[in-house]
Amino acid sequence: MLFHSFGYLLLFLPIVVGVHAILRARTSWPWPQVWILAASVFFYTRAATANLKLLTASILFNWAIARAMKAQENGRKRRWFLWIGLTVNITTLFLFKYIQLFLGTIAYLHGPRLPFPDWGFPLGVSFFTLMQIMYLVDAFPRAPESAAARKLFRGLASANSLFEHACFVAFFPYMVSGPLTRVRHVLPQLRGDTMTEPRALMACRGLFLFSMGLAKKVVLADSFGTIADAGFPPRAVYSTLEAWVFALSALFHLYFDFSGYSDMALGVSWMLGIDIPQNFNAPLRARSISEFWQRWHISLSHFITEYLYTPLFRSMGRSSLATSATATIVAMAIAALWHGPAWTFVAWGVCHGVALAGHQVWKRRHLEMPDWAAWLVTFAFLSATIVFLRAPSVGSALHMMGRLLPHLPLTAHGALVGLLPPPQTLLFRPVGVGVILAFFFGSSMDYARAFRPSLRTAFASAALIVLSMIFMNSAPARQFVYFAF
Amino acid sequence: MTPRLWLITAIAAVLIAVLAVGGVNIAIDPYGLYRSNSGRQLRVAGDERVAKYLLSLRYVPQRFNSVLIGASISANWDVTKIDRLRIYNESLNGATIIEERALIEAALSRPGISIVLLLVHPALTYSSEFRTVDMQPALKRSALGSLSLWEVYKDWIRIRLGGAEPVFDYAGTERYAEGRHEMNANMKRMWNTKDFEIDPVAWQAYIDVVGELRHRKIQIVFIVPPTSAQLLSSKRTALERYLEQLRAAVGAGDAWIDFLSPPRSALWTDEANFSDGVHFTPEGARAVVNQLNAAINDWLERRQLIVDSQ
């Protein structure tokens, strides 16, 4: 079930939120939570019935490992449990996501391809597996000696029950595509311990943010996506202008698609009285690659920093610019591979890793450039490297990047007009609006934070939902990009 | 404003807007889906694929007894000039048989259509893609409020204000301006290769369409359209090979009207009938329809004789 389907919007969401509100008002814990868990299971089975077994096994296994770690008094054995848990999770991800890439690459290098059944790609496996890894690390009871590691291994204040763990992992707003959420952030909320503002106000804010996310996805992202789909894989020899239009469309598509999804996820969570991490903060206005990663897929950036970069950096011994740069590049390559089982993703990650390392050097040498130039360089880099996420092969991506460099014909647009489906005016209007919104307006989170219940915000929210429904009614729903990651 | 009142206001505004948009579109009903179509003459506006698909669900079977399945080649054949049949022209620009199959299925979803005129041309089996939209029953929902509907109203307003002429008539025929259709890239490629490319999926769909029509006891009139002698000279053998394969699908009671046969050579040897060798000028289209009318009359009479003799 997609967040932007009529079934979700008109039936699932109102029923889930409505019944949850009634249960909250009339019953005590855990009944509202039981209802959310039931809704989450229904949500997941509607999309992928066959994968429910995998999700259930993952919940049971990781909860059992965490319990075993807590119960074990021998520190060495505890560490063994942690490693078993991490190994099983990573192996699961490998078997479902990377085995075909691995075998294909071996076959490419050495000859015949080893047979291995294609089990398909279980929905949400990338996200819930990472969350389980974070859970195991957070549940590790002994805080190591160093300050950095103590910060990482803060552990859980108290053990969670199997029911709570199932509620945490399977929570439908973030289960499929994040934001990656830590158990210690959600657990107190699941127990109803923390409330930062009145529930009704939180629900209004949630609906307001949800309507912005919905419009971002179906009005803006899908329009950019249609243009990007026409351009990738390259079907003609593009002019410089055409290559840039397709590359920028791919970047804006990914941004509006995933940030729209994240807004919807956060909005629904707020409607259910649970706060989850913010995932985007106007990343296309970043003036450096480091700033970009502080604004783009923020929950993943935290994961990369805390669970990949820091352990890698620490394992390298001597602290220096070289080890930091190496750890950055390796961590980004791994994170990129997590996005998709293809070498194009690795290439994208390495590019970003190298850029981040370069930025470390830049900062270390106290070099500076004007803000506008810094933004332009960052944005050009993001636009150029995005082709790795769209192109079918590294060669194709490099070819497309070559077309981004000024060449003749510079401004020809015959291929663009020929490849885009008519009526093209319907595409270009949302695209124009999207570009203006991305560069000149605040992020949807800014508006959500400043939200006050008023007629203006009520009608704005309603207008966005109705406009989105008209767009939803105009074309078959496009899946979220990150569902495939 | 209290949060509770805000929620009620926002939800009520959504419901009222949705009901208003849906209600207005049901009342206007540009695709003939919700009101009686008796006496209505609905023209294609906006996206021709969306419009022809939605019109085919109710308007076409209620107002017509035959459909012409074709591509841009037959899009400007004025089928209202066929005396003894009420034909709706389902031809689409750049159509494949996959898209046309969706239109046939829509038109046959209600009783009313008894004869299908089926173009026999490599253009229909060249590809198996949907060009712009997936024509499927879910598209019906777009008649309640969608961007394609917005395009329809824009077209209507332009025509009402005198800024444009209607492109289609009420029977689905498109009016080309003289020489509008230069041969497009696909058509050029089709005629510039040694043999005609056939997409196996499209080919199978063509065979399936014929089988389905026969299963439903729908009469089929196969039409081989004229192609200019100049263009045909290099590919006559390839085309004959292609036609021969499809000729095997013709059953007893079906008609096979071949405009490339020598008795009709006047049509395709006169280059003035064509704008690009494949598509017809308005005069050329009129000449084709005249001959088609005669051939259909002849076929219907022979069929009547057979029925009478039984």
Side-chain angles (χ1 to χ4, degrees), chain A residues 6 200-201 204 207-208 422-423 426 429 451 453-455 457-459 461-462 465-466 469-474 476, chain B residues 1-4 6-7 9-11 13-14 17-18 21 47 131-132 134 136 141-142 144-148 150-151 154:
Chain A
F6 281 102
L201 182 59
C204 294
L207 182 59
F208 186 63
L426 287 181
R429 276 185 207 133
F451 170 83
S454 67
L455 268 184
T457 52
F459 286 134
S461 206
I465 291 173
V466 173
M469 286 168 85
I470 288 174
F471 271 74
M472 284 159 62
N473 218 14
S474 304
Chain B
M1 192 177 212
T2 64
R4 190 179 291 259
W6 187 92
L7 270 178
T9 309
I11 292 168
V14 170
V18 166
V21 170
D47 185 306
R131 298 285 185 205
T132 54
D134 283 340
Q136 49 180 314
R141 221 172 44 198
S142 70
L144 292 170
S146 62
L147 296 177
S148 50
W150 169 247
E151 289 295 302
K154 260 172 51 185

